[in-house]
Amino acid sequence: MSVSELNHFMTYVIDGWMLFSAGFISIAFVSFVSRRIQEDIAAETAALAQGESQEEAQGEKAIAPVSSSKKVTAIQPAAEATDPSPVSPAEPTDGADTADVEKDAARLEEVAAVSEKLSKAKEKQSGSSSVSVST
């Protein structure tokens, strides 16, 4: 076997090895990306299922009979602080419910503030034109 034949043979071997490596790397990358997508989909379905179960639990709480003092607490927590209504000793107030209501109200206010900021930022971006400057 001459040097030129050996050179051609090694060229084919190296080209084949590069094609094999590129194929292996691309298959590994595609499987990695597909696995991540499947994990994201599974996490999203789990979050949706958890959200639905929480909504059902909240719906069951809303259906359950509620005393009038708890309704005032849930609807108007600020009014209750300024004008406390007399509570009979037979109806103990549930501090956990009021804390949950206050947490939910604070969370909703925070979500509303963030969405308002995002909408303002989006309006600002859509109103301005982008100009690229190159030197």
Side-chain angles (χ1 to χ4, degrees), residues 109-125:
E109 289 175 6
E110 183 179 344
V111 168
V114 169
S115 70
E116 185 176 329
K117 285 181 183 178
L118 288 174
S119 66
K120 286 182 181 178
K122 187 176 180 181
E123 289 174 7
K124 187 183 286 185
Q125 285 179 352

Side-chain angles (χ1 to χ4, degrees), residues 82-131:
T82 59
D83 184 29
S85 60
V87 178
S88 66
E91 293 181 344
T93 58
D94 192 4
D97 286 341
T98 58
D100 289 341
V101 169
E102 289 174 3
K103 286 180 185 177
D104 288 342
R107 184 178 58 83
L108 288 175
E109 289 175 6
E110 183 179 344
V111 168
V114 169
S115 70
E116 185 176 329
K117 285 181 183 178
L118 288 174
S119 66
K120 286 182 181 178
K122 187 176 180 181
E123 289 174 7
K124 187 183 286 185
Q125 285 179 352
S126 65
S128 65
S129 61
S130 62
V131 177

Side-chain angles (χ1 to χ4, degrees), residues 47-63:
L48 286 174
Q50 183 180 13
E52 288 175 359
S53 66
Q54 286 178 351
E55 287 176 3
E56 289 175 4
Q58 289 176 354
E60 289 174 3
K61 281 185 179 179
I63 293 172

Side-chain angles (χ1 to χ4, degrees), residues 3-18:
V3 173
S4 64
E5 289 175 347
L6 184 61
N7 191 12
H8 286 290
F9 176 71
M10 290 306 295
T11 302
Y12 292 134
V13 168
I14 291 174
D15 288 343
W17 182 255
M18 287 187 338

Side-chain angles (χ1 to χ4, degrees), residues 23-86:
F24 180 76
I25 291 171
S26 63
I27 288 172
F29 178 74
V30 168
S31 66
F32 171 76
V33 169
S34 66
R35 188 176 339 115
R36 290 298 302 249
I37 291 171
Q38 288 174 349
E39 290 173 356
D40 290 344
I41 291 172
E44 184 178 348
T45 55
L48 286 174
Q50 183 180 13
E52 288 175 359
S53 66
Q54 286 178 351
E55 287 176 3
E56 289 175 4
Q58 289 176 354
E60 289 174 3
K61 281 185 179 179
I63 293 172
V66 180
S67 69
S68 63
S69 64
K70 288 183 183 178
K71 286 181 183 175
V72 170
T73 303
I75 295 172
Q76 300 174 352
E80 185 183 52
T82 59
D83 184 29
S85 60

